[in-house]
Amino acid sequence: MWRIAALGTGLATRDRIEIDRCSMEANMFLRNAWYVVAWAEEITPELQQVTVLGERICIFRNSTEEIIALEDACPHRKLPLSKGRKKGDTVECGYHGLTFDCAGKCVWAPGQGRIPSNANVHAYPVFQKYGLAWIWMGNPALADTNEIFDIPNYDDPAWGINRGAAMELQCNYLLMCDNLLDPTHVAWVHAGSFGQAATKDAPLRITKTHDGVIVHRWMLNVEPAPFYKKVIGFSGNCDRLQHYEVRYPSHALIRAIFTPAGTGGPDGALHDDVFIMDSYNFMTPMTESETRYYWFQLRNIRPGDEALSRLMSDDVQHAFEEDRAVLNEVQKGMTNKTTPHIDLPIDGGQLRFRRQLQAMINEENEVDRQMAD
Ligand SMILES: [Fe+2]
């Protein structure tokens, strides 16, 4: 289900509009990237307003179930189109009836049938994958669905899945990216689920990759943390991997491996009873201080076990609520600080990620400036 506005016709004009939108002020977000805009089932034929990167977007399904995402502001007096009404596969503004097709082109305006040539709204490319709707926030000509986060085991029947509703965080999305490059916080924030003694101080290894940062560590011959004790298929101590990886702009894979003690480590053969949980986390900035957080987990055991899926969703959601409570307060603390904050050696992965992401944002802004000249 793939649509891309303005490709083929009027690209030069569309590019110009794109540049004009970008050149008004430097962007604080990476725009040429895919973000999750919603769970696919959240999008219906009804007009809905969503906010991504500070932009209000009118989103709906057309008569062939395609997901349509239009700039949510009539070019006349900026009434949100989501306050108007659907007429077939067009959207009619609720103020003076300007009507837009699914590519954002105005097809009717009052006044002797004359439609101003600039009476269009931006149409965002949207693509459905993994049960999620992904939106491209930058120049449509650069949208490539092959760049959507790759999840190799998603359709593998040997892997079970559990998922839950998106969460809204009252904090900047980078605080959640920090959190997902920080294996140590589980010892304090998730002491009853993901944390245990070794998670406090075992050394971290940081790797910068071509598309993000990985922070990981093996903890050998340790007691499984409480959440994992409930789901792994062996008893006794384990070797445990925490692999925390965030890719630009704000998408994370958290891989947990639990294997009987003596079979793990960097060169371990792993045991037949190994438990692997891949946790996928997609952060979508709504504004500078609000984030929508989408997540699900894949596991290598008992794929059809619905009770296990429910247990995992409930426990993970509970843990993520613990993150939300901390991060919302961290946002307040950092916003209102009266003394400088400090960094620790454990922050190395987060700092590298932020530095590279900012360099990518700066580069986009520089290109926009050059094209606007
Ligand atoms: Fe956490």
Side-chain angles (χ1 to χ4, degrees), residues 103-362:
K105 185 176 184 312
C106 183
V107 294
W108 191 88
Q112 294 83 49
R114 188 182 151 272
I115 300 173
S117 61
N118 56 356
N120 297 318
V121 292
H122 182 72
Y124 299 80
V126 177
F127 190 74
Q128 193 170 309
K129 194 170 186 183
Y130 312 131
L132 296 162
W134 298 79
I135 190 165
W136 179 263
M137 297 300 293
N139 184 342
L142 302 179
D144 178 356
T145 56
N146 292 316
E147 290 178 12
I148 290 176
F149 198 101
D150 185 37
I151 304 181
N153 296 322
Y154 185 79
D155 289 320
D156 186 339
W159 289 69
I161 188 167
N162 67 282
R163 56 177 98 208
M167 297 170 67
E168 287 194 7
L169 314 172
Q170 300 303 307
C171 70
N172 184 277
Y173 73 111
L174 290 172
L175 289 182
M176 185 49 102
C177 292
D178 288 349
N179 185 267
L180 295 172
L181 284 168
D182 174 16
T184 302
H185 82 276
V186 300
W188 288 273
V189 180
H190 311 303
S193 53
F194 302 152
Q196 54 88 242
T199 55
K200 283 188 179 169
D201 224 17
L204 301 168
R205 301 203 181 284
I206 300 169
T207 312
K208 195 165 180 290
T209 68
H210 74 283
D211 60 357
V213 172
I214 299 169
V215 180
H216 88 278
R217 63 183 170 189
W218 273 99
M219 290 161 284
L220 303 179
N221 196 17
V222 298
E223 189 183 0
F227 166 77
Y228 298 101
K229 254 188 198 166
K230 291 195 265 184
V231 295
I232 61 179
F234 61 90
S235 55
N237 276 4
C238 66
D239 294 340
R240 173 183 183 179
L241 171 72
Q242 283 182 297
H243 169 109
Y244 280 44
E245 176 175 3
V246 185
R247 300 180 196 165
Y248 311 115
S250 48
H251 303 147
L253 162 62
I254 309 299
R255 167 165 279 198
I257 296 182
F258 287 78
T259 188
T263 64
D267 302 315
L270 303 181
H271 192 276
D272 284 349
D273 288 340
V274 64
F275 172 76
I276 303 173
M277 185 176 88
D278 287 341
S279 182
Y280 292 94
N281 308 260
F282 305 113
M283 280 66 72
T284 302
M286 298 167 66
T287 66
E288 195 180 359
S289 57
E290 298 165 292
T291 302
R292 284 262 282 181
Y293 176 31
Y294 301 84
W295 56 269
F296 59 81
Q297 283 80 40
L298 295 176
R299 62 177 185 274
N300 72 326
I301 62 162
R302 294 152 57 192
D305 189 334
E306 288 302 320
L308 178 60
S309 295
R310 264 196 308 280
L311 169 84
M312 290 180 67
S313 286
D314 290 349
D315 281 17
V316 166
Q317 182 136 26
H318 178 78
F320 289 174
E321 293 290 353
E322 293 172 333
D323 287 315
R324 170 158 64 181
V326 168
L327 296 180
N328 287 356
E329 290 301 320
V330 168
Q331 177 72 66
K332 289 184 206 164
M334 293 293 274
T335 301
N336 301 317
K337 67 185 177 187
T338 54
T339 52
H341 72 275
I342 62 167
D343 294 314
L344 299 171
I346 58 168
D347 302 321
Q350 308 167 13
L351 296 174
R352 280 176 178 79
F353 181 85
R354 282 176 176 254
R355 194 178 308 129
Q356 178 61 25
L357 180 62
Q358 190 58 53
M360 294 164 71
I361 293 168
N362 293 347

